[in-house]
Amino acid sequence: MPSFKTAIVIGASSGIGECLVRQLCKEGVTVAALARREPELARIRADLGADGERVRTYAHDVTDYGSVPGLFDRIRADLGDVDLVIYNAGVMPAVAEGEYNFQKDHDMVAVNLLGAMAWLNPVAAYMEARRAGTIVGISSVAGDRGRRGNPGYHTTKAALTTYLEALRNRLSRYGVTVVTVKPGPVATPMTKNLGKLPLLIEADVAASGILAHARAGSVEGYVPAPWWPIMTVIQAVPSFIFRRTNI
Ligand SMILES: NC(=O)c1ccc[n+]([C@@H]2O[C@H](COP(=O)([O-])OP(=O)(O)OC[C@H]3O[C@@H](n4cnc5c(N)ncnc54)[C@H](OP(=O)(O)O)[C@@H]3O)[C@@H](O)[C@H]2O)c1
């Protein structure tokens, strides 16, 4: 089971990412925390008190794809070799029933999928050469079926899951671990206006579940665990039935 000394969390300024930074830092890990909202990153570091000295913050928009290799080099110059990279950045704009909005779909693909590729391609090359490291991608139960509510979001998470599987199949022979985590609903700014959600958990519970899967080197980990049997059943529902439901 790997123990991590250095980590990068991409999408670290709120919700699950914030809790990942807090928990990693409290465990003694040196963390590079990335997001667009630098004041939020500074707040998290300040809240951590003396432990916050282990957190370095970087203002970064993952859709600025061209800046990624240079920033990754800079982070390694600051932190040294990186053991763990968590791609957590994601957006899920509200999409109404009957709304077909290309701009919203574009924005979700840009952050949830292309941002992951822009980051994890150079991370994969680095870890392959180093013959070590753990990559964690935060996908979602939402990627397991194409549901009615938000077609673009479901698509980005399904594609992210497949991309991570392909990275795993490339990298496992080099001793690099690629973990796909699929949380169910988590109480964060992303879900705050969505009303009552099934099996809703707090962001710190989601973060500890994600880190447990990272340490265990899980292939695909559901958080919390009951989503595994639930999604196994939902994935098996035939399309002609699924399309008549709202599950
Ligand atoms: N909440 C849930 O129920 C749930 C369930 C399953 C999976 N997830 C996934 O979990 C991840 C975290 O979501 P959350 O619920 O914690 O929501 P959140 O609080 O809204 O956090 C989203 C994070 O992504 C970052 N981000 C968004 N766009 C970015 C960009 N262009 N460049 C850099 N960073 C960007 C945000 O930082 P800035 O805005 O500061 O840039 C923020 O740190 C997402 O990938 C989400 O899809 C969430």
Side-chain angles (χ1 to χ4, degrees), residues 11-20 37 43 88 186-189 203-204 207:
S13 57
S14 62
I16 297 168
E18 170 172 353
C19 292
L20 288 168
R37 289 170 295 164
R43 169 187 61 79
N88 173 72
V186 182
T188 70
D204 60 337

Side-chain angles (χ1 to χ4, degrees), residues 11-17 35-37 60-63 88-91 111 138-140 153 157 183-186 188-191:
S13 57
S14 62
I16 297 168
R36 290 168 302 180
R37 289 170 295 164
H60 171 65
D61 185 332
V62 297
T63 66
N88 173 72
V91 290
V111 175
I138 308 305
S139 186
S140 173
Y153 185 74
K157 292 301 184 180
V186 182
T188 70
M190 183 179 277
T191 54

Side-chain angles (χ1 to χ4, degrees), residues 1-225:
M1 192 172 286
S3 75
F4 307 116
K5 290 197 175 66
T6 46
I8 302 177
V9 179
I10 302 147
S13 57
S14 62
I16 297 168
E18 170 172 353
C19 292
L20 288 168
V21 171
R22 289 177 183 276
Q23 290 182 22
L24 284 165
C25 176
K26 286 194 177 135
E27 288 170 15
V29 180
T30 300
V31 186
L34 281 60
R36 290 168 302 180
R37 289 170 295 164
E38 161 87 330
E40 292 304 306
L41 298 174
R43 169 187 61 79
I44 295 162
R45 187 175 54 184
D47 279 358
L48 284 161
D51 289 340
E53 283 172 26
R54 283 193 293 279
V55 176
R56 280 180 176 259
T57 64
Y58 302 84
H60 171 65
D61 185 332
V62 297
T63 66
D64 184 5
Y65 309 120
S67 71
V68 170
L71 180 54
F72 186 37
D73 287 347
R74 192 178 132 210
I75 291 169
R76 280 179 290 135
D78 292 344
L79 266 62
D81 275 323
V82 173
D83 303 319
L84 171 67
V85 174
I86 305 179
Y87 191 86
N88 173 72
V91 290
M92 187 181 72
V95 174
E97 183 91 31
E99 179 183 8
Y100 299 91
N101 185 320
F102 176 71
Q103 189 58 51
K104 290 181 181 178
D105 289 344
H106 176 279
D107 293 349
M108 289 188 277
V109 172
V111 175
N112 304 2
L113 181 61
L114 294 177
M117 290 172 158
W119 267 98
L120 299 183
N121 282 352
V123 167
Y126 161 74
M127 290 186 175
E128 179 179 313
R130 202 174 159 233
R131 301 290 195 263
T134 298
I135 292 170
V136 177
I138 308 305
S139 186
S140 173
V141 295
D144 282 356
R145 284 303 296 244
R147 294 173 58 228
R148 283 162 40 185
N150 192 332
Y153 185 74
H154 292 286
T155 301
T156 62
K157 292 301 184 180
L160 179 61
T161 296
T162 301
Y163 169 71
L164 292 166
E165 180 186 21
L167 280 191
R168 180 180 311 113
N169 293 339
R170 280 192 166 199
L171 293 172
S172 60
R173 73 199 63 193
Y174 300 108
V176 178
T177 303
V178 180
V179 177
T180 305
V181 182
K182 298 176 176 180
V186 182
T188 70
M190 183 179 277
T191 54
K192 75 174 188 303
N193 297 320
L194 296 184
K196 196 167 155 41
L197 295 167
L199 296 182
L200 184 73
I201 58 171
E202 295 300 323
D204 60 337
V205 177
S208 47
I210 289 163
L211 293 178
H213 283 299
R215 278 186 220 98
S218 305
V219 172
E220 286 195 351
Y222 286 89
V223 173

